[in-house]
Amino acid sequence: MLRALFPALFCGTAVDAYELREFQGLATPVQFSAGKTIFSEGEQANIVFGLSQGFVRLYKLLIDGRRQVVAFKLPGDFLAMPRAELHKFSADAIGEVTLSQFSRNDLIELIESSPNLMRLLIDFVSRELDLAQDQLLLLGHGSAEEKVAMFLVGWRNRLARLSMFSEIVPLPMRRRDIADFLGLKLETVSRTFARLERNHAIRVVSKGVALTGLDQSLLVKERICEPHV
Amino acid sequence: MLRALFPALFCGTAVDAYELREFQGLATPVQFSAGKTIFSEGEQANIVFGLSQGFVRLYKLLIDGRRQVVAFKLPGDFLAMPRAELHKFSADAIGEVTLSQFSRNDLIELIESSPNLMRLLIDFVSRELDLAQDQLLLLGHGSAEEKVAMFLVGWRNRLARLSMFSEIVPLPMRRRDIADFLGLKLETVSRTFARLERNHAIRVVSKGVALTGLDQSLLVKERICEPHV
DNA sequence: CGAAACTTTGATCTCTGTCAAGATTAGTGG
DNA sequence: CCACTAATCTTGACAGAGATCAAAGTTTCG
């Protein structure tokens, strides 16, 4: 069911079965291989992508090469706002990726044909905004350790909602991606992983971690900015 | 005209005169004095506020007292998302403030009665999201000097759009507010102001600055995250 | 006028960034 | 399948920007 495919948009609300079928009819599947750029900031956004399988990083670049990763996207997420004319950030595939591709015009037409879908879109964007503002809190304050710990817990929780881990939390993205997400350098991320492991808060494995003692120790005393998409 | 009162929502689009009058009819004016809290994070958002006069800071708190200022709001801005049930951040008056107060239910009803208004709301939230993501870039990277300079230029430009300055850019917020907005300590903000003044980039006056050489020097080489609301 | 709040400035310390060298992993072609 | 190269990750040494602690100067407001 499409509701399962795009929970980010059709989140917790009754959606008309007919509308769902319409929606599904507009999608064409498309693949990107590891590291490929799906779209770049500033480009015309004639196509809107929904993520079916795999992981995507969204980011903005400064001309001097510095990069801010704005979000990591999971299966079920949309990669951009349907109504935006231009892409406000770039998107890369992390590993092999399967997307559902929509014509922007068709999608807008469908959405605007239904007050129900428009409401859903408003709520969707509002959730994204709230997420971004929580990330502001994370970026603005906190030590490297707090940032990394908070990132790991948030990531674990998002994956949990998709039942995508078992003891070992997969980390498909590179250290550099995590660093650019948290406003740190990749060496700092690496060192922080090592320190957390020494303190038995996590166990680092190839392309993943086990969170052994994070939730109790550091994070309960903090506001947990847990993504709720 | 209301279009002038709430440009953030009715931005650059033709709005039906009838809808505008409806909208205006729902508003009741209300005042808050300097420093007063308008609403707090987590509260039920039965009332939605539009800002008519004065300045407001929106912020999130950690339980240990750390604070992230999420945005400074200017006349014409909405302080929250109409459809959100709970407030996702707190809001304080900076100086004396005049607000237009709407019943959330009435406002939602009005907006959802008109596809046109719903479209406007979607675009409004999308702009806010884009702003937040640009601020992520600012918070994540950049020295104290870049952050402060970028903040000043962005603030100047927003005020310029409202014709609210003349040579001297007013800074109604406290140093602490700027610090919490930029993820710095207030001492660092103060020192950075002093350094920029020594370099003749700005001139600091009571509750304001003159930007004498900022745009040319530092900022052109960067992507300018200029708020465009 | 005087107290409280805010801002500036100074001295010191610490965490993270920077530079650099190994270690590990992934990818490629023979 | 192995060997070799490139990319990524870890670890170390060092330096510097910003945090912290502290005090003096300024503005605000009763």
Side-chain angles (χ1 to χ4, degrees), chain A residues 41 63 67 141 221 223, chain B residues 63 67 141 221 223:
Chain A
E41 183 175 1
I63 56 169
R67 188 180 67 153
H141 302 278
K221 64 171 183 182
R223 154 218 283 271
Chain B
I63 57 167
R67 188 180 68 156
H141 302 278
K221 65 172 183 184
R223 155 219 280 270

Side-chain angles (χ1 to χ4, degrees), chain A residues 64-171:
Chain A
D64 60 6
R66 286 179 296 181
R67 188 180 67 153
Q68 177 65 45
V69 171
V70 166
F72 294 109
K73 290 298 181 182
L74 273 61
D77 291 337
F78 265 82
L79 300 190
M81 288 306 111
R83 271 187 58 83
E85 294 218 2
L86 301 176
H87 287 296
K88 300 299 189 354
F89 38 71
S90 307
D92 291 348
I94 300 176
E96 190 80 4
V97 149
T98 308
L99 301 156
S100 290
Q101 172 178 323
F102 300 85
S103 145
R104 178 168 158 266
N105 288 336
D106 293 353
L107 191 59
I108 290 180
E109 198 181 327
L110 171 61
I111 290 176
E112 297 193 347
S113 75
S114 152
N116 195 24
L117 286 178
M118 287 182 86
R119 254 193 306 275
L120 286 172
L121 180 57
I122 290 170
D123 289 344
F124 169 61
V125 188
S126 301
R127 275 198 307 277
E128 294 282 311
L129 175 60
D130 191 38
L131 272 182
Q133 288 177 338
D134 274 342
Q135 201 191 335
L136 284 181
L137 202 153
L138 183 53
L139 275 179
H141 302 278
S143 61
E145 195 163 323
E146 285 177 303
K147 288 181 178 180
V148 170
M150 227 132 148
F151 163 71
L152 289 176
V153 171
W155 179 251
R156 192 266 316 269
N157 291 345
R158 290 178 70 193
L159 292 180
R161 240 164 272 132
L162 301 175
S163 321
M164 285 185 71
F165 79 98
S166 54
E167 189 63 27
I168 299 290
V169 180
L171 289 178

Side-chain angles (χ1 to χ4, degrees), chain A residues 5-17:
Chain A
L5 267 177
F6 295 105
L9 185 51
F10 303 115
C11 172
T13 325
V15 183
D16 193 69

